[in-house]
Amino acid sequence: MFGLGLRPPFYEQAIRGKVAVDWFELISENFMVDGGKPRAVLDAVCEHYPVALHGVSLNLGGTDPLDEEYLDRLGKLIDCCEPLRVSDHLCWTRHGGHHLHDLLPLPYTRDTVAHVATRIRQVQDRLKRQILIENVSSYAEYAHSEMSEWEFLNAVAEQADCLILLDINNVLVSAHNHGFDAYCYLRALPAQRVQQIHLAGHSVSGPLLIDTHDHPVSDPVWTLYQLALQHLGAVPTMIERDDAIPSLDELLAELDIARRIRAREPAA
Amino acid sequence: MSAPDLGQLQAAFKAYLFSGANEAVLAPWFAANKGIEVPHRLDVYRNAYYIRLQESLAHDFPALLAYMGGAAFGREMAAYLKACPSTSPLLRQLGERLPDYLSDHNMPLLADLARLEWAVLEAFDAADSRVLTVKALQNIPPERWQNLHFELHPSVTVLDVRTRAYEVWNAHRKQQLLPDQQNDAMAPLLIWRSPGGLSVKPVSTECHSLLVSLRNRLSFAQACEQLAVVMDIGNVAQAAARCLWELICQGCLLEQLEWG
Ligand SMILES: [Fe+2]
């Protein structure tokens, strides 16, 4: 039930099946190549562990047509590693054929809900499976939003009949940046749809928190994690670390904190 | 102010990330929650965009970065990103047009260096394929050699460089200072991946000719005819055999052979 995001410094240990995790999450785009080292790593890791695929370029909230070639590659990757879960983000990442390689914010309107839900349904039909959508950190909110972020997330998941990847650090970061109650957010989520949890660290930049994945999981995130488990029950959980990556032992020790919190929860 | 539609909003947001010039158009569409000014909030996205993409280019072109220095590299990459925004969902493809961009802007050495580093990246994750062995070659009956087609391994790139890019790249790889003395012999380069790892090496004129012929899908006999253009015809057979042998030993040719 506890995993880690697979990053290059851990490839060697993961290939040999020597890491004490139940599963790894792989960034889909890193393995959309024809061969060589990335493919060898993929094959070897899949021999030892179940994996989840996590994408960053599906552009679910964009207005450009869905990228057929990208979906083809994702489909092939799914065939090749039979992932536990396939996820991407509730955001937009591309416009006018240009990829911005960032998770950009959407206005929380009824029109956007319908737009994104339709695209998610298209993806799910194409991949013949439900996908998980992740809440992103945001630094700006649109003046014409008609609902809260959690109402938006729930409405999209409901209309698309998709699952949710809850990033607790992203909830904390956005709650801080926009001044909403993170606990309120967690309590509003439909427990049956939340199938995976991300934990990560952030950094502080003046009045804003930034989702940098370059610090250990913060204490407020651990507190929220505990609250989330009370509401959601046992959900597969992992830590994302993308910068200032510590030793594997350090990350595994952090994952143990999650395990201990879970063990204390009667709901688990 | 009326609410923009989603496409209009994303077009403006993109233009803002690229240049920042339309901040006055974009900012009124956002809320200044918690008293934090909208321009400050939007800055986070714009900074992150350039930092993320520049870091990706720095990661993919380490010798270019070392040779240019951080400040010049940063300026040139910002200009490149404006001229050639990413068109692939894979960040890995971001530098694909950098060699041509640098050529077009009259920077031949930097262009060659970028071309070399791009070929290394391409070799790194090119398709896996079984390679031709000397033993397999020995089993080919002599009468079939005439129409034999050899195919290059997908990881192979043949580069016709006209600058000292290889010297610069090699000095960076070995963490050495670049020799002041310019080496005049600018040999073509062969870049490929074998089970032993990635290799880059200068090749002779004869081997380059053979490689180009194979890349152009000429038969072995036609490749030998091309060789006769760059060398004395009496030495062609021997040179072709030697180059072929080298390519096979290096794992540069595919196991699959074609005739006709
Ligand atoms: Fe996340």
Side-chain angles (χ1 to χ4, degrees):
Chain A
M1 289 297 270
F2 291 90
L4 278 182
L6 183 65
R7 304 294 182 259
F10 315 138
Y11 281 178
E12 285 309 315
Q13 284 138 299
I15 284 171
R16 288 183 280 121
K18 298 286 188 207
V19 187
V21 293
D22 303 313
W23 51 282
F24 274 112
E25 184 190 77
L26 277 51
I27 302 294
S28 312
E29 287 80 0
N30 290 353
F31 298 91
M32 289 181 179
V33 294
D34 295 330
K37 177 100 184 272
R39 292 305 295 215
V41 167
L42 177 73
D43 293 343
V45 169
C46 290
E47 259 181 47
H48 296 291
Y49 302 94
V51 299
L53 288 179
H54 186 50
V56 293
S57 298
L58 201 44
N59 190 32
L60 290 169
T63 55
D64 277 10
L66 287 167
D67 183 338
E68 294 293 329
E69 196 188 324
Y70 177 88
L71 284 167
D72 272 346
R73 292 205 222 191
L74 182 57
K76 285 197 186 110
L77 199 54
I78 289 171
D79 288 344
C80 154
C81 64
E82 296 171 7
L84 299 167
R85 295 172 293 278
V86 176
S87 58
D88 206 294
H89 299 83
L90 183 53
C91 68
W92 65 284
T93 58
R94 160 190 162 149
H95 186 77
H98 293 137
H99 289 265
L100 304 163
H101 303 285
D102 197 0
L103 309 172
L104 299 165
L106 289 165
Y108 307 140
T109 66
R110 284 179 295 275
D111 284 352
T112 316
V113 169
H115 173 76
V116 180
T118 304
R119 287 165 70 93
I120 295 172
R121 280 187 178 274
Q122 284 168 7
V123 170
Q124 295 186 139
D125 288 348
R126 171 79 182 257
L127 299 177
K128 298 186 179 65
R129 64 188 296 154
Q130 275 183 302
I131 61 167
L132 289 76
I133 50 168
E134 177 181 353
N135 60 300
V136 299
S137 283
S138 71
Y139 311 104
E141 276 189 337
Y142 297 92
H144 61 290
S145 283
E146 299 160 350
M147 58 189 94
S148 66
E149 187 190 323
W150 59 91
E151 286 165 334
F152 178 70
L153 172 62
N154 291 353
V156 170
E158 179 75 23
Q159 275 196 30
D161 191 20
C162 69
L163 304 168
I164 293 173
L165 195 176
L166 171 64
D167 187 313
I168 294 189
N169 179 60
N170 288 348
V171 172
L172 180 93
V173 165
S174 295
H176 175 93
N177 291 343
H178 308 302
F180 64 73
D181 179 356
Y183 187 38
C184 211
Y185 190 125
L186 296 180
R187 268 186 318 195
L189 294 175
Q192 74 286 0
R193 290 195 191 274
V194 180
Q195 303 274 315
Q196 188 180 324
I197 287 177
H198 274 173
L199 300 170
H202 55 256
S203 55
V204 181
S205 170
L208 295 170
L209 296 186
I210 314 282
D211 176 38
T212 42
H213 297 187
D214 60 351
H215 282 76
V217 176
S218 68
D219 286 342
V221 167
W222 287 125
T223 306
L224 281 176
Y225 178 55
Q226 188 176 359
L227 294 170
L229 290 186
Q230 285 166 5
H231 171 55
L232 302 170
V235 179
T237 299
M238 57 158 274
I239 295 176
E240 293 182 291
R241 189 70 180 256
D242 290 293
D243 242 318
I245 297 181
S247 72
L248 191 54
D249 285 346
E250 250 175 88
L251 269 185
L252 288 171
E254 235 189 323
L255 201 57
D256 274 339
I257 302 176
R259 285 194 176 95
R260 284 199 296 274
I261 291 173
R262 243 284 287 296
R264 283 205 302 267
E265 285 312 314
Chain B
M1 151 141 308
S2 69
D5 75 34
L6 197 56
Q8 192 186 1
L9 183 157
Q10 293 180 355
F13 207 131
K14 179 180 88 170
Y16 168 77
L17 292 180
F18 285 177
S19 81
N22 65 337
E23 189 189 274
V25 176
L26 193 64
W29 295 341
F30 289 88
N33 297 336
K34 292 184 74 183
I36 304 167
E37 295 294 326
V38 172
H40 179 74
R41 293 174 170 277
L42 293 177
D43 257 357
V44 175
Y45 288 105
R46 201 165 125 68
N47 289 338
Y49 173 74
Y50 274 100
I51 290 170
R52 178 174 298 111
L53 299 196
Q54 296 234 12
E55 276 178 357
S56 172
L57 291 168
H59 176 268
D60 289 349
F61 298 93
L64 189 66
L65 167 62
Y67 183 73
M68 294 178 77
F73 182 85
R75 274 195 306 277
E76 210 53 63
M77 294 310 113
Y80 167 66
L81 290 170
K82 283 202 171 88
C84 308
S86 172
T87 54
S88 169
L90 313 182
L91 201 47
R92 181 214 169 286
Q93 295 299 118
L94 186 63
E96 191 174 15
R97 289 176 290 167
L98 184 59
D100 286 347
Y101 169 86
L102 294 168
S103 282
D104 293 347
H105 288 75
N106 228 349
M107 294 180 255
L109 170 60
L110 302 184
D112 275 347
L113 192 51
R115 206 163 276 129
L116 169 50
E117 295 201 278
W118 183 254
V120 167
L121 275 178
E122 291 278 86
F124 183 75
D125 50 21
D128 303 295
S129 304
R130 294 168 65 93
V131 295
L132 185 63
T133 59
V134 174
K135 195 166 185 305
L137 199 67
Q138 284 164 345
N139 291 334
I140 298 167
E143 67 276 13
R144 305 200 70 172
W145 272 82
Q146 187 65 13
N147 295 320
L148 200 52
H149 280 259
F150 293 97
E151 214 176 312
L152 298 175
H153 188 272
S155 73
V156 169
T157 301
V158 187
L159 278 188
D160 194 4
V161 293
R162 292 170 197 283
T163 62
R164 59 194 307 222
Y166 176 66
E167 257 186 287
V168 174
W169 180 82
N170 215 19
H172 172 259
R173 187 176 61 103
K174 294 178 176 166
Q175 303 285 307
Q176 288 170 350
L177 287 176
L178 187 63
D180 289 335
Q181 196 56 48
Q182 186 144 343
N183 180 354
D184 288 335
M186 256 67 88
L189 297 174
L190 173 63
I191 296 122
W192 80 101
R193 183 187 83 228
S194 66
L198 284 167
S199 304
V200 179
K201 77 170 215 183
V203 288
S204 64
T205 314
E206 303 91 74
C207 276
H208 180 245
S209 164
L210 184 71
L211 281 162
V212 170
S213 293
L214 298 187
R215 191 176 60 189
N216 295 337
R217 315 193 78 82
L218 300 187
S219 69
F220 186 63
Q222 289 166 322
C224 288
E225 283 168 26
Q226 291 300 311
L227 261 181
V229 177
V230 295
M231 67 188 300
D232 182 41
I233 194 151
N235 298 328
V236 163
Q238 205 189 359
R242 196 187 60 244
C243 294
L244 201 58
W245 176 270
E246 259 182 47
L247 291 176
I248 292 169
C249 293
Q250 291 166 174
C252 291
L253 300 183
L254 288 190
E255 183 182 59
Q256 189 69 43
L257 295 171
E258 282 176 36
W259 283 275

